[in-house]
DNA sequence: AACCTTTCGCAACCTTTGGTTGCACTGAAC
DNA sequence: GTTCAGTGCAACCAAAGGTTGCGAAAGGTT
C-alpha cells in the first residue's frame, strides 16, 4: 500500500517548484539559491527553503564556495527516487490491468448466459 | 521543464493519504468516504475533502447510491497520470545519464592530457 | 583601510491545505 | 414515527509555501 518512509521523498518531489528546481540543476549544473531564483517565479527565500527540504531528504547537497553555496543534484539519490515513483506507477498499472481482465471475464460470462 | 497544467495532477497524487486512498479503491473496488475512513488513520471528513480533490482532477468519480456516494477510480485518467509520472522520471533519468557521459568524457580527456 | 555590492540566513507575517470537532440533514430500517 | 448510519457544511488549528524586511559576511573597488 506504498505509505512508508519514502513519503518524504514523494512530498519533496510533489512540489512543482521543487521539481522545476531539480530540472534546472540537472540542465544547467550546480547553482545557488540566487541563481535559481532568477529563473523561477518565486523569491530567493522561497527557493532557499525548498533547497533546505531537498537537502534534508538527500536529493541534493550543498558545497560552500566562498560567500556562495553551490547546490548540486545527488544523482544516485534521484535515481532511487525515480525508481520509487515508477514502482507506484507500476503497481497501479498492474491493478488497473487486473480490473480490466476481471471486467472482460464478467463480460464474457454475461454473453454466455445470454447465449443459453 | 515540466511545469504545466498537470501540476494539479501531481499535487493530487503527491499527498500520501490520497495515494493510499487510490490504492484502497483499486484493491477493494468502489468505496464511500466512511468505508475509506475506517481503513485510514484520518477522519471521515478529511477523507471527504481528499475525495473532492481527486474528483476535481478527474482521477475518481462519484456515483450516488441511496444515501451513500460510491467513489471509484477512473482507470483511463489514472493511467494518464501514471504516464506523466514516468515521463518526468524518464526525463530525469536521461539527464543523469547525459551528465555521467559528459563526466566520463572529461575524465578521458584529462587522462590523455596527462599522457602527453 | 574604507566602501559598496552581492549573497546569504533569520524573523515576522499571510494564505493555502490537511486535519480536527461539532452540528444539521437525509435516506433506510425497525 | 423513531432511530441509525452516511453525508455535507462551518469553525477552528497546525503545517507548508510564499512574501517582505532586516542584519551579517565574503569579494571587489577606489
Amino acid at each position: 500500500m506504498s505509505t512508508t518512509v519514502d513519503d518524504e521523498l514523494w512530498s519533496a518531489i510533489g512540489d512543482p517548484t521543487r521539481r522545476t528546481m531539480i530540472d534546472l540543476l540537472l540542465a544547467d549544473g550546480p547553482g545557488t539559491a540566487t541563481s535559481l531564483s532568477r529563473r523561477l517565479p518565486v523569491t530567493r527565500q522561497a527557493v532557499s527553503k525548498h533547497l533546505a527540504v531537498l537537502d534534508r531528504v538527500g536529493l541534493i547537497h550543498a558545497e560552500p564556495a566562498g560567500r556562495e553555496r553551490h547546490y548540486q543534484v545527488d544523482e544516485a539519490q534521484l535515481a532511487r527516487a525515480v525508481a520509487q515513483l515508477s514502482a507506484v506507477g507500476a503497481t497501479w498499472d498492474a491493478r488497473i490491468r487486473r480490473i480490466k481482465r476481471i471486467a472482460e471475464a464478467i463480460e464474457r460470462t454475461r454473453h454466455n448466459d445470454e447465449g443459453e
Side-chain angles (χ1 to χ4, degrees), chain A:
Chain A
M1 310 310 180
S2 95
T3 310
T4 50
V5 194
D6 46 57
D7 273 3
E8 29 177 29
L9 244 172
W10 268 91
S11 64
I13 291 182
D15 183 87
T17 304
R18 285 196 283 265
R19 261 196 330 275
T20 307
M21 283 169 55
I22 292 177
D23 275 340
L24 288 174
L25 286 178
L26 283 177
D28 306 348
T32 68
T34 309
S35 76
L36 285 172
S37 73
R38 275 195 285 257
R39 316 198 47 187
L40 286 168
V42 295
T43 59
R44 192 208 86 223
Q45 283 82 347
V47 171
S48 193
K49 289 185 188 177
H50 286 306
L51 286 171
V53 173
L54 290 173
D55 198 357
R56 186 150 35 80
V57 303
L59 284 177
I60 64 176
H61 73 278
E63 182 184 347
R67 73 178 152 182
E68 304 183 347
R69 283 177 71 90
H70 287 248
Y71 289 89
Q72 162 172 1
V73 174
D74 184 325
E75 286 124 5
Q77 287 291 101
L78 182 60
R80 200 169 66 86
V82 169
Q84 294 193 357
L85 282 208
S86 29
V88 172
T91 302
W92 285 348
D93 256 357
R95 293 214 176 129
I96 290 174
R97 272 196 291 274
R98 206 183 101 248
I99 290 169
K100 280 186 181 158
R101 265 208 324 276
I102 293 172
E104 284 165 11
I106 293 174
E107 190 69 6
R108 276 193 300 275
T109 305
R110 205 166 55 73
H111 282 308
N112 287 346
D113 285 357
E114 285 172 351
E116 280 171 8

